[in-house]
Amino acid sequence: MMTKMSTSKLFLCLFFQFTFLVFVFNPANAQELKVGFYAKTCPEAEAVVKDVIHQVMSVAPSLGGPLLRMHFHDCFVRGCDGSVLLDSPTKQAEKDAIPNLTLRGYQIIDRVKTAVEKACPGVVSCADIVAIVARDVVVELRGLSWDVETGRRDGRISNGTETFGNLLPPTVNISTLVNGFARKGLSVKDLVVLSGGHTIGTSHCSSFNERLYNFTGKGDADPRLDSEYMEKLKLKCKPGDQKTLVEMDPGSFKTVDESYFILVSKRRGLFQSDAALLENKETRDYILSQAGKSFGSFFKDFGVSMVNMGRIDVLTGKSGEIRKVCSRVN
C-alpha cells in the first residue's frame, strides 16, 4: 500500500508530466508569428515581394491605398488569414459582400504570389503576402518601414455575411469604433493611428454623401463638417452619386504623411468615422499632437499598430494551409 507521501509524489510527477505535454503539444504554442519566419525556408521572400510592389507602384501608385486597405479588411473578418482573397462560384465570399465591393488590387496579390511561388513553392502563405504588401506600399509612398511578423497560415473559409458587424462602415460613431477595435484586441490608440491610413487612397462619394445632403434624414448636412470643404465636396459629388472617386487626403493622397490629422483637426475628415475621432479625449489628443508636425510619432506608431492588427486571430502551426493560388483553397 502506498504511503500518503508516496501518493503525493506520484501525483506531482504525473501533474508536471501532463503540464509538460500540454505545453509542448498544444497547437497554440506550436508556432507563433515572428519576424523572419521564412529566414530558412524562403529567405528571399520579402525581397521578391518588395521588387514586385516597387514595379507596381512605379506605374500605379493609386493602388497603394487599396492594397493597404485589403490587409485591414482581411484581418477584421476571421482574422488575418487571407480569407478576403478567396473566390466563390456562388458569389458568397467576403470579397462579394457589400463592404468589400470597392476593394481593388487582387490581381497584384496574385502577381506577388506567383513570383514568390516561383522562388519558394508552397512555403509562403497568402495571408503573409497581404501583410508584407501592406508594409511595402506604405514604404513606396514615403512612409516608414516596419518589421512584419510572419508565420500566418491561410484559412479555408470565406463567408460574405461575416463582413457585416466586423468591418466598421465609415458612418459609425466613436463608441462603435472603440468597441469594434476592442473586440479585435486593439486599443484606442491603435484606432486613431490606423485611421491615419486614410492619408492615402480615394473613396466613392456613396461613402459620405449623406453627410452632404441628408445627414439626419431631413435634407440637412453634417454640422461637424467644415462648410468650405463641404461645398468643394458637393461640386464633385451630386446626390445619389455612386461612382465618383474623391481623394481622402486632398493634395497628398499618394503620400503617407501627417496631413490627415491636420484635416481632421480642421473638421475636414471625409467620413463620419473621421469626425468621430474628435469626440473622444484620447483620439482627439493624438490628432492634435500630430497635426502640423513634421516627422511626428505617427510614422513609428503606424508600424506598431499595423503589427498589432496583423496578430488578430491568426492561424499558425498546422492550422489552415499554404495556398498555391490565393483565390482558391488547395
Side-chain angles (χ1 to χ4, degrees):
M1 178 179 287
M2 287 189 179
T3 65
K4 185 176 181 180
M5 182 175 293
S6 62
T7 302
S8 298
K9 286 183 177 180
L10 177 61
F11 172 80
L12 286 173
C13 181
L14 290 172
F15 174 80
F16 284 119
Q17 285 181 340
F18 175 76
T19 302
F20 174 78
L21 288 171
V22 169
F23 178 79
V24 172
F25 294 108
N26 186 346
N29 296 316
Q31 282 180 308
E32 299 299 330
L33 299 184
K34 67 177 182 178
V35 174
F37 180 85
Y38 300 110
K40 294 183 179 180
T41 56
C42 189
E44 63 267 52
E46 293 196 30
V48 172
V49 177
K50 181 180 180 180
D51 182 57
V52 174
I53 292 303
H54 177 69
Q55 294 173 33
V56 170
M57 297 299 288
S58 64
V59 296
S62 62
L63 281 173
L67 288 169
L68 174 61
R69 184 179 168 215
M70 189 174 291
H71 189 32
F72 281 67
H73 283 229
D74 184 35
C75 291
F76 269 70
V77 183
R78 301 192 72 85
C80 312
D81 67 347
S83 55
V84 73
L85 306 173
L86 288 172
D87 287 337
S88 165
T90 56
K91 301 297 181 183
Q92 295 180 334
E94 290 174 31
K95 64 168 57 174
D96 302 307
I98 291 175
N100 284 330
L101 290 180
T102 57
L103 278 184
R104 297 186 295 130
Y106 295 109
Q107 77 280 12
I108 306 304
I109 300 298
D110 291 340
R111 179 173 166 182
V112 172
K113 176 64 170 175
T114 298
V116 172
E117 282 293 300
K118 184 177 181 180
C120 313
V123 175
V124 182
S125 69
C126 297
D128 277 343
I129 286 174
V130 171
I132 297 169
V133 165
R135 187 268 313 275
D136 289 352
V137 297
V138 168
V139 173
E140 288 289 332
L141 296 177
R142 303 183 188 178
L144 289 184
S145 184
W146 64 88
D147 291 330
V148 176
E149 294 178 338
T150 46
R152 299 168 189 81
R153 305 268 292 179
D154 295 322
R156 297 186 177 96
I157 299 172
S158 185
N159 187 337
T161 61
E162 294 181 348
T163 60
F164 301 102
N166 283 302
L167 293 178
L168 301 172
T171 55
V172 295
N173 59 33
I174 188 63
S175 296
T176 302
L177 286 170
V178 170
N179 292 334
F181 271 65
R183 286 198 304 271
K184 304 299 179 182
L186 298 176
S187 68
V188 174
K189 182 175 181 180
D190 289 324
L191 161 63
V192 65
V193 170
L194 292 174
S195 294
H198 291 168
T199 182
I200 56 174
T202 58
S203 171
H204 288 84
C205 294
S206 55
S207 294
F208 58 87
N209 242 3
E210 68 177 30
R211 297 191 76 193
L212 309 180
Y213 300 107
N214 198 29
F215 184 59
T216 64
K218 299 179 180 179
D220 54 344
D222 186 348
R224 299 172 301 176
L225 188 61
D226 175 75
S227 58
E228 183 179 338
Y229 182 45
M230 184 188 304
E231 293 307 315
K232 290 182 179 180
L233 290 175
K234 284 183 175 180
L235 293 176
K236 297 180 179 180
C237 299
K238 301 305 178 183
D241 189 337
Q242 300 286 320
K243 297 182 179 180
T244 304
L245 289 172
V246 173
E247 298 172 6
M248 290 194 288
D249 187 353
S252 65
F253 76 108
K254 296 179 183 178
T255 304
V256 175
D257 54 27
E258 303 96 335
S259 60
Y260 165 79
F261 298 105
I262 298 174
L263 291 172
V264 174
S265 70
K266 294 181 177 180
R267 299 190 298 120
R268 294 190 171 196
L270 190 59
F271 306 120
Q272 291 184 49
S273 57
D274 294 326
L277 297 175
L278 293 175
E279 298 168 0
N280 172 282
K281 184 180 186 305
E282 185 174 348
T283 54
R284 181 176 63 252
D285 287 349
Y286 185 86
I287 287 168
L288 297 178
S289 74
Q290 301 303 309
K293 287 188 176 180
S294 298
F295 301 104
S297 65
F298 168 65
F299 290 97
K300 181 179 178 181
D301 293 341
F302 191 72
V304 172
S305 289
M306 286 293 285
V307 170
N308 291 341
M309 185 183 75
R311 295 170 177 167
I312 297 175
D313 296 334
V314 295
L315 301 174
T316 59
K318 294 184 178 180
S319 299
E321 64 181 9
I322 304 296
R323 288 184 218 139
K324 296 181 176 65
V325 178
C326 289
S327 59
R328 63 175 184 265
V329 297
N330 293 340

